[in-house]
Structure formats: structure tokens, C-alpha cells
Amino acid sequence: MSARGVLYVHSAPAALCPHVEWAVAGVVGVPVKLDWGDQPAAPGTHRAELNWQGAPGLSGAIASALNGWQRLRFEVTEEATPGCDGARFSYTPTLGIFTAVTSASGEVMVSEARLRNAMERAAAHDADLVEELDRLTGRVWDEELEPFRYAGDGAPVRWLHAAG
């Protein structure tokens, strides 16, 4: 079975671009050359997109390879496949990594256990339930990444088929 998804590198300094390519190539097992373009939302940085196809779970491996790079903003998505949920990983230097299960239409899905935990945390710590739910759905990551997403409209897209 094969999964499909997209790596969106929303912003990377020029010096980091080849390292991103090497890291992704190390995960997918084939050379990766991204078409880098300027990122108007953060002058002096670059952006790229890569459509990929490979084994289910590849999105998590790509996100793990890029996680923690302090001057990088990225998202990796994976479409749902039979027997496997879809996934989205979002990363910003200020917020770190966000991971979510996604529906066939790409919406973030929150499990019953996570919802109950959020309600318990809100009640026990006199926290705002809306803030807890926003955290579960990745709202702050979306807000931080949205200007970078819009800046990528019309950018070139590449397809990559992972080895193995």
C-alpha cells in the first residue's frame, strides 16, 4: 500500500536549503532536489513544496528528520489510506512541533480521550476550555503559518516517489 502527501517548507534560510534536501533524501531513500523560491513573508528565506508517495507513516519520518531546526518552518501532510489515518505535522521555531490525525478531507480529528483530557485539564487548572481545544486543533500553528502559506500560492510543485 502506498500513501501520498506533501512537504511544505514554508521558510528556510539559503544555507539550510541543501540540508533540508539531504535530510528528506535520507528518509525517502532517493535524491531530493527541491525547487526553491523566495518567501515574501520572510525576506531572505526560501520556500519549496514536494509531493511525495511512499509507505504509510512517511510523513512522520520526514517531520522527525526536520523537527527542531530552529530557523525552519514546515508542514508535512499525509492522506488517509485504507487502514491508516491521515496526518499533519506543523513546525515553527517558536511553537515547536504539532501533530494531528486528519480526516479524508484534511480536517484535524481529535480523539475522545484527548477531548476528555482537555476538559479535565481545564476544570482542574481553572483553564479556558476554548484555549485547550485550540491547542488540540493546532490553531496557534495555523495562525503563525498562514502568512507563509499564502505567500506560496502559484509556486512550482514537484513529485517524489520514495524508494522501498
Side-chain angles (χ1 to χ4, degrees):
M1 180 178 359
S2 187
R4 295 166 37 134
V6 183
L7 165 63
Y8 302 94
V9 179
H10 292 300
S11 71
L16 202 54
C17 294
H19 297 281
V20 170
E21 293 174 350
W22 296 330
V24 174
V27 171
V28 300
V30 296
V32 172
K33 178 71 176 128
L34 298 174
D35 291 326
W36 295 98
D38 292 337
Q39 174 52 275
T45 66
H46 303 280
R47 63 164 325 283
E49 292 181 20
L50 177 70
N51 289 293
W52 59 265
Q53 184 172 349
L58 187 61
S59 60
I62 293 170
S64 292
L66 300 176
N67 184 26
W69 294 20
Q70 285 302 305
R71 300 194 57 214
L72 184 67
R73 287 178 184 84
F74 71 87
E75 290 180 278
V76 187
T77 63
E78 181 171 325
E79 295 176 8
T81 55
C84 296
D85 292 323
R88 183 180 77 173
F89 300 86
S90 302
Y91 179 84
T92 73
T94 56
L95 298 171
I97 193 86
F98 170 75
T99 305
V101 173
T102 57
S103 69
S105 62
E107 293 179 336
V108 171
M109 305 293 289
V110 181
S111 70
E112 178 182 345
R114 293 183 75 195
L115 285 171
R116 288 185 190 281
N117 185 271
M119 291 187 302
E120 290 169 5
R121 260 195 328 273
H125 301 336
D126 197 29
D128 183 6
L129 182 58
V130 172
E131 289 178 17
E132 291 290 327
L133 295 176
D134 282 347
R135 186 183 58 76
L136 287 177
T137 59
R139 180 176 177 180
V140 292
W141 281 265
D142 285 339
E143 288 173 353
E144 187 168 325
L145 290 172
E146 201 62 23
F148 296 91
R149 292 173 181 151
Y150 282 121
D153 285 347
V157 177
R158 284 187 87 113
W159 266 98
L160 173 81
H161 297 274

